Amino acid sequence: MPPTRPLTPEEEQRLARKERTLKNRRGRRNPSTMPQHLARTSAFAPRKKDLITDSNFVRIYEVPGYSVVEVKGRELGSQHRDAIYALFRLPREKVRTDNPAYRRGTFISPVLSYYQTRTTWRTLIKAMGRTEHVNNLLSLVHVFQEIQQVSVLIHEGRSLKELEAIKAKRNRNMLPDGAGSASSLITDLSWEGAQLDSAVTVTYGTRVLEMIEKAHLVSINADVQFRLRSDHAKVFWPFIDSQPEHTYIDEERLAQLAGRELWSETATSATRAQFRKECREAFKDMVSAGGLSAFTEEVTGSGRAKSRRYSYTHAAPRQFELELLKVARNAQSVDS
C-alpha cells in the first residue's frame, strides 16, 4: 500500500534501512537485539581477570566510524558484556509516567518515557545458555553488583572527531553543555532476592530509548556469543555478526575493538605477534561455536607496516541467499 503523502528523507532512510535489515536477516531464533553503538564498541576488555576496579576509573572507548562509549567507575570485562547481552535478549516494555518537573507553559515534557525489562534470575541464566543452578545465580548477582558500580555512557557521535563537532555546534547555539550528548546505558537495576525465581527489574537510559525508538538496533546471534570460550572472540563476534554485508575485517579494526594499539611507542613485534595469535584463536573459536563456517588470514602491506586481514564466511546464510537457494532448488525439481 503506497503512502498517502510524500515521505520525508528521514522516513525514506528508515524504510531503506529496514529493507536492508530484512534482506540481510540470518534467521536467528532468539537474538540479542541492542543499540548498534553497544554491539560495535571496545568498552568491554577481552578478559575476565585483572580488571581495573578503581572507583575513579574513567575511560573513553572509540571505534572510529561506529561508536564512542565512556565508562566510569571500574573496567568492564567479558562477563559484564555477557550479562548485558542477556538482558537485551529479553523483551522490553515502554513505561510512561508523569514528570514531576513539568510546569505548564514550559518546554519540559509532561510525561517521562523509558524502557524496562522485568525478569528473573532463572530467565537470565537460561538466556545465557547456562544451567539453572544456584552457583550460576550467585555469579550473576556478583556481576550485576559490579555493573551497578559503573556508568556506561553511549555518546551521540560515531567518533571522537564527530563528538567534538556536535559539542561545538551545541556551544554555538548556546545550548547547555553536554545536553543530549550521552546518557547511561542502565539507569536503575534492582532485584528482590538471590533465589532463582526472584524478580529482577532493569530500567534503560534515554540514549537506549532513543535508539529503540529510531530503530538504531542490531541483532546478534546470542547462542554463538554464549558458546564462545575466547574472550577476544566475545569482543569480535558482536561486531562481525552485526555487519551482515561484511566478509572481512582488518587487524587494525580488531585492535580497536580489543582496546589495543598495535603501533604505539610501547608496542613491540612480540606484542603484535601475541595479538595475532589471539586473533587466530578467536576466529577458530567462532568457527567451533557455529558462528562462522570458515576464515582465512592474509598478509597485507610490506615492511614495518605489514598487517593482517581476516576474511570469513558466515555460517548462517542471509535471507536473500536463502531465497536464491529456494529458486535454485525449484529449478532443479522442474528440470528433473
Side-chain angles (χ1 to χ4, degrees):
M1 179 179 176
T4 57
R5 60 170 176 78
L7 298 178
T8 66
E10 184 180 12
E11 288 173 328
E12 290 179 346
Q13 290 177 2
R14 192 175 299 174
L15 285 173
R17 184 167 59 246
K18 181 66 174 179
E19 186 176 348
R20 288 196 303 271
T21 300
L22 292 174
K23 181 181 177 182
N24 291 308
R25 188 170 52 185
R26 294 188 183 275
R28 306 181 186 98
R29 290 175 303 164
N30 186 13
S32 184
T33 304
M34 71 198 75
Q36 56 189 357
H37 286 56
L38 191 61
R40 303 163 187 171
T41 183
S42 58
F44 301 91
R47 60 183 184 278
K48 296 184 181 73
K49 300 179 180 179
D50 301 322
L51 296 168
I52 301 171
T53 58
D54 185 353
S55 60
N56 295 319
F57 176 85
V58 179
R59 183 172 175 183
I60 294 178
Y61 298 86
E62 178 194 23
V63 179
Y66 291 93
S67 66
V68 179
V69 176
E70 184 175 352
V71 176
K72 299 179 180 180
R74 60 158 292 144
E75 191 175 25
L76 296 173
S78 298
Q79 67 273 38
H80 305 103
R81 178 193 291 267
D82 280 353
I84 290 171
Y85 279 27
L87 277 175
F88 279 99
R89 199 174 190 181
L90 302 178
R92 298 172 289 272
E93 62 174 337
K94 190 172 184 179
V95 180
R96 291 182 173 87
T97 60
D98 293 335
N99 186 353
Y102 170 70
R103 297 293 181 272
R104 187 182 297 274
T106 67
F107 291 105
I108 300 174
S109 173
V111 177
L112 294 176
S113 299
Y114 56 89
Y115 274 88
Q116 197 172 67
T117 292
R118 296 177 180 271
T119 184
T120 64
W121 293 119
R122 187 189 300 276
T123 304
L124 276 168
I125 291 171
K126 288 174 66 176
M128 298 174 74
R130 295 183 180 177
T131 306
E132 299 168 39
H133 191 275
V134 67
N135 287 345
N136 287 331
L137 163 64
L138 295 176
S139 296
L140 197 54
V141 168
H142 181 65
V143 167
F144 274 113
Q145 286 174 334
E146 292 178 337
I147 291 174
Q148 279 191 302
Q149 301 170 18
V150 179
S151 174
V152 182
L153 305 179
I154 305 175
H155 283 277
E156 194 173 338
R158 295 177 181 271
S159 67
L160 288 173
K161 185 177 180 180
E162 183 179 331
L163 190 61
E164 288 301 318
I166 292 171
K167 289 182 178 178
K169 181 178 179 181
R170 186 169 289 123
N171 290 337
R172 285 197 303 270
N173 293 331
M174 300 181 67
L175 293 174
D177 184 36
S181 64
S183 74
S184 295
L185 166 66
I186 294 173
T187 56
D188 186 63
L189 194 157
S190 61
W191 57 88
E192 294 180 359
Q195 303 295 322
L196 281 170
D197 292 313
S198 296
V200 181
T201 303
V202 182
T203 304
Y204 300 95
T206 55
R207 281 293 286 150
V208 176
L209 168 66
E210 181 183 329
M211 290 181 175
I212 293 171
E213 297 291 339
K214 292 186 176 181
H216 290 170
L217 299 174
V218 294
S219 296
I220 68 161
N221 188 324
D223 286 331
V224 171
Q225 178 71 20
F226 298 129
R227 282 198 296 264
L228 295 170
R229 297 176 179 271
S230 161
D231 287 328
H232 278 80
K234 287 180 178 290
V235 167
F236 302 155
W237 173 249
F239 185 91
I240 288 173
D241 197 38
S242 68
Q243 305 272 9
E245 297 179 359
H246 290 200
T247 57
Y248 68 85
I249 187 169
D250 292 321
E251 73 173 356
E252 181 181 359
R253 181 70 73 194
L254 295 176
Q256 291 169 354
L257 292 169
R260 299 277 291 272
E261 293 186 15
L262 295 181
W263 304 99
S264 67
E265 293 182 359
T266 57
T268 65
S269 57
T271 59
R272 284 189 287 275
Q274 177 62 28
F275 179 69
R276 287 161 184 163
K277 177 184 176 182
E278 291 164 344
C279 288
R280 285 191 292 272
E281 291 174 349
F283 275 93
K284 289 177 183 177
D285 192 15
M286 284 184 272
V287 172
S288 298
L292 303 179
S293 59
F295 81 94
T296 58
E297 180 183 358
E298 173 191 358
V299 177
T300 59
S302 60
R304 190 176 183 277
K306 189 180 294 184
S307 186
R308 300 291 189 277
R309 170 171 289 179
Y310 299 87
S311 299
Y312 54 84
T313 304
H314 205 289
R318 289 175 284 180
Q319 187 63 38
F320 82 94
E321 293 170 340
L322 288 171
E323 291 168 359
L324 289 176
L325 288 171
K326 287 181 182 177
V327 171
R329 282 198 297 267
N330 291 338
Q332 288 178 350
S333 63
V334 170
D335 292 338
S336 60

